[in-house]
Amino acid sequence: MSTPTDSKAKLSGPLSDHVDARIVTGDLDEAIADRNAIVQLDPDHPGFRDAEYRRRRNQIAQIAMTYRPGDPIPTAPYTDAEHQVWSVIWQALRPAHEQHACREYLEALTRLNFDDHRIPQLREVNQKVQAISGFRLEPVAGLVQPRVFLENLADGVFLCTQYIRHHSTPLYTPEPDVVHEIVGHGVTLACPQLAELNRLFGEAVKRTRSAEDLERLSRVYWFTIEFGVLRENGSIKAYGTGLLSSAGELKEMHEAELRPLELESISHETYDPTHFQPVLFCASSFNEVYERLRTFLTAW
Ligand SMILES: [Fe+2]
């Protein structure tokens, strides 16, 4: 089947599987937007012409908009076709994870024990993640401002979209969907060290006052929590959520130029979120990721 994913083989091509624009800082001095600001579907969105999909997206957005923190998270309505999307994605991801994911991620994935054929509900994921790290996923209707997204991490809250990509393009989504959220962030938050780093990011962001400092922390988040790689027994492995939620990204990461994990220089490194990352920052071990980030963030 031809999908936009097929055309992404080159580093210069558009990033296909997700663009986590929450980390992309824009006009940072503007007032913090409501966490449930809904993103309209663009005319080139795969679901734009599917009235039933749009109705369900709105229904799922309503869950977020009426959700009050602490309440049980209502069930998101997924169709059989959408559960099938989840299934198709796992057919590609299981072998890709075996090959390219770091050990700590694989251990956390085992703890969450997903059903390959059914999209889990956020409250099910929460039961396990909260018991491991204290983190919980809370539904949001769409993309939120970077400061809102990052500051919530300080409180152990991951603001999480609940919709899934359109079923016509199982390996493509123009926005982070529940696959990226759960398979990427949900699993890494079931790793105690990565959960701690997420919390430290949130605390560091809370201490920032300038737009420039927020942008620097957002870049470090992007190149580590979202796109981090490390060496494990001589191989390059992923611990970044953007890589781990896409079989295509996991394959493509081996084409990137690797640079050492120098967080100060990373904080000045610009990136284009709509394309594959031509540069990734590689730690010598998982422990180096943990120690360096913890030191950097607590000193911020
Ligand atoms: Fe993400």
Side-chain angles (χ1 to χ4, degrees), residues 20 22 180 185 226 241:
D20 204 336
R22 289 170 301 198
H180 172 68
H185 294 280
E226 292 280 351
T241 58

Side-chain angles (χ1 to χ4, degrees), residues 1 3-5 17 41 44-57 78-79 81-86 88-89 119 163-179:
M1 181 172 57
T3 72
T5 302
D17 203 356
L41 301 191
D44 61 353
H45 190 285
F48 183 74
R49 295 181 189 287
D50 182 340
E52 173 57 25
Y53 179 76
R54 295 180 68 154
R55 190 190 64 76
R56 204 161 50 259
R57 282 285 294 258
Y78 300 119
T79 63
E82 287 173 333
H83 288 299
Q84 181 62 22
V85 168
W86 176 262
V88 167
I89 289 167
I119 306 164
Y163 57 81
I164 191 162
R165 62 198 65 183
H166 193 255
H167 57 80
S168 65
T169 58
L171 300 180
Y172 168 78
T173 172
E175 64 220 326
D177 67 348
V178 72
V179 176

